[in-house]
Amino acid sequence: MTKTVHVPLDTRAYDIHIGQGLLARSGALIAPFLKRPRVAVVTDENVGPLHLEALRAGLADAGIEMSDLTLPAGEATKSWPHLTRTVDWLLDQKVERSDIVLALGGGVIGDLVGFAAAILRRGVRFVQVPTSLLAQVDSSVGGKTGINASQGKNLIGAFHQPTLVLADVDVLGTLAPRDFLAGYGEVIKYGALGDEDFFTWLEKMGPKLASGDVEARVEAVRRSCQMKADIVVRDETEQGDRALLNLGHTFAHALEAATGYSDRLLHGEAVSIGTALAFELSARLGLCSQEDPSRLRAHLRAMGMKTDLGDIDGSLPRAEALLALMAQDKKVVDGQLRFILARGIGQAFVTGDVPPQKVLEVLHDALAAPRK
Ligand code: GLY
């Protein structure tokens, strides 16, 4: 069973295929886009040993040769040195303007390789083969590519849409449960921001998804990608609506910075907690009923996900310091923090009109809450 989501962006339109066995069928799916039967593949040290040979075999079935580069795994790879190494390697492979570069990995590899493709020879095409749930539902779709700077995450980059996305749900089977649930935080985000029916479906199907139900996984990835595609088509370069996808991220980025972008808190975990805080803030501002944050937190808890600040190991900075970290966010405009708030589950909107005192109150209370 394969489902396809089309992203209708004029000359940059592409398909996202979601299903089983896509690595094995990669050659047939990619061949129509190739001028000559070869691709350059970049992966990382975690993903390569698990999936590189399956990809090689899938490509070879259609007579496509691949060369490959394996980078270290982890966020530190999204940096100038690894970008330089990748671009140099692609040039050494004599990748031409009409060739295709393939990113096999999670968000770090997808963002880095997409950016390398964007700047190589002023832009070559690339295919995303996302191997984490987070990458399948978020980072591989929509064309945001880039690396981190010492001043902050994702500050250097380009919009460069992929030519094709192959989301093979079989590869999710090799994820550690913690990584799967971190990606599920982004899935919930879609329901919470714009589709209450999807959220209700997730409340019912979440446990099946987590325990490996393939049909449920395909459907969750499809609905998430469809929603992301709809938003990206409305606002490709984030002048407006695309910011909705950052629900929970203003809080999340501060928490990630406070925990040193380390294993203490994965990005998707920070998004789960951040989404719960964004709903709490919305309720405190009288935008939605207190039942909405409670319902959201109940589902996160039922899934065994990080939900509250108390779920983060170790100490956290005080509320004032967290607020200061939020002010470093990319979404600050004219010194004013922009938040994604909600009038209910599935009804998010973007606003710059949030009194910092209310944010402080929410953080203060969240820090004071007893640990579970
Ligand atoms: N991950 C947010 C976006 O793609 O806009």
Side-chain angles (χ1 to χ4, degrees):
M1 174 201 18
T2 301
K3 300 205 173 156
T4 302
V5 171
H6 183 62
V7 188
L9 281 169
D10 300 320
T11 52
R12 298 171 315 293
Y14 55 97
D15 284 333
I16 306 162
H17 296 289
I18 304 146
Q20 291 191 280
L22 295 181
L23 288 185
R25 285 161 47 210
S26 56
L29 291 164
I30 292 170
F33 299 97
L34 295 177
K35 295 242 161 42
R36 53 177 176 166
R38 53 177 281 200
V39 290
V41 177
V42 182
T43 189
D44 73 26
E45 283 165 356
N46 287 346
V47 173
L50 294 170
H51 304 302
L52 200 53
E53 289 318 308
L55 178 70
R56 196 188 306 278
L59 292 168
D61 272 354
I64 301 167
E65 269 179 41
M66 70 172 234
S67 52
D68 54 278
L69 170 69
T70 299
L71 298 174
E75 191 71 29
T77 295
K78 260 176 74 169
S79 57
W80 284 118
H82 293 289
L83 178 72
T84 308
R85 182 172 167 204
T86 304
V87 170
D88 280 346
W89 179 77
L90 291 170
L91 289 171
D92 287 345
Q93 298 305 303
K94 306 209 170 7
V95 170
E96 294 178 3
R97 195 80 187 277
S98 61
D99 288 332
I100 280 187
V101 175
L102 190 149
L104 174 71
V108 166
I109 288 294
D111 285 6
L112 172 90
V113 176
F115 188 37
I119 59 177
L120 187 77
R121 299 186 191 279
R122 298 202 176 87
V124 301
R125 294 168 304 156
F126 79 116
V127 168
Q128 290 267 23
V129 184
T131 55
S132 67
L133 180 58
L134 191 140
Q136 293 195 351
V137 298
D138 185 27
S139 58
S140 68
V141 176
K144 278 190 182 173
T145 71
I147 56 172
N148 301 326
S150 51
Q151 290 85 347
K153 274 181 82 169
N154 296 325
L155 292 182
I156 303 152
F159 286 99
H160 186 50
Q161 299 293 340
T163 294
L164 181 72
V165 181
L166 302 181
D168 187 333
V169 296
D170 287 339
V171 304
L172 301 179
T174 58
L175 291 179
R178 185 179 176 197
D179 289 319
F180 183 87
L181 286 180
Y184 186 72
E186 296 276 1
V187 176
I188 291 180
K189 181 193 78 178
Y190 288 106
L193 79 86
D195 188 346
E196 188 181 4
D197 286 348
F198 184 38
F199 187 84
T200 306
W201 183 86
L202 289 170
E203 285 176 312
K204 187 163 149 238
M205 301 300 283
K208 274 193 168 186
L209 260 160
S211 63
D213 185 294
V214 170
E215 232 173 277
R217 286 184 171 188
V218 171
E219 182 58 8
V221 176
R222 183 194 70 77
R223 285 179 83 155
S224 301
C225 287
Q226 184 64 62
M227 204 154 162
K228 178 148 189 185
D230 292 345
I231 292 174
V232 166
V233 165
R234 287 207 300 276
D235 176 22
E236 186 179 0
T237 56
E238 200 168 314
Q239 308 301 313
D241 265 11
R242 185 163 179 165
L244 290 171
L245 296 170
N246 293 323
L247 174 62
H249 284 60
T250 309
F251 286 106
H253 287 156
L255 295 173
E256 286 183 274
T259 50
Y261 301 101
S262 68
D263 268 6
R264 268 179 76 194
L265 188 67
L266 304 178
H267 174 68
E269 294 173 335
V271 170
S272 303
I273 297 173
T275 305
L277 289 171
F279 268 79
E280 184 61 39
L281 178 59
S282 303
R284 300 264 183 120
L285 291 167
L287 293 164
C288 65
S289 96
Q290 188 57 48
E291 277 166 33
D292 293 314
S294 302
R295 182 177 169 197
L296 177 66
R297 291 175 68 256
H299 182 48
L300 295 171
R301 277 258 164 263
M303 293 296 292
M305 296 166 71
K306 286 195 170 42
T307 313
D308 299 308
L309 295 187
D311 294 329
I312 303 170
D313 287 337
S315 61
L316 287 172
R318 292 157 53 89
E320 290 74 11
L322 285 174
L323 186 65
L325 287 172
M326 289 167 112
Q328 311 276 337
D329 198 272
K330 280 202 302 304
K331 293 186 291 304
V332 172
V333 178
D334 290 338
Q336 204 178 22
L337 266 174
R338 277 197 308 160
F339 278 91
I340 319 305
L341 298 179
R343 297 195 175 84
I345 303 271
Q347 298 174 57
F349 64 98
V350 186
T351 178
D353 187 19
V354 180
Q357 192 52 37
K358 277 279 173 217
V359 183
L360 267 182
E361 268 172 45
V362 167
L363 288 170
H364 214 273
D365 292 354
L367 285 164
R371 284 183 173 263
K372 297 282 169 330

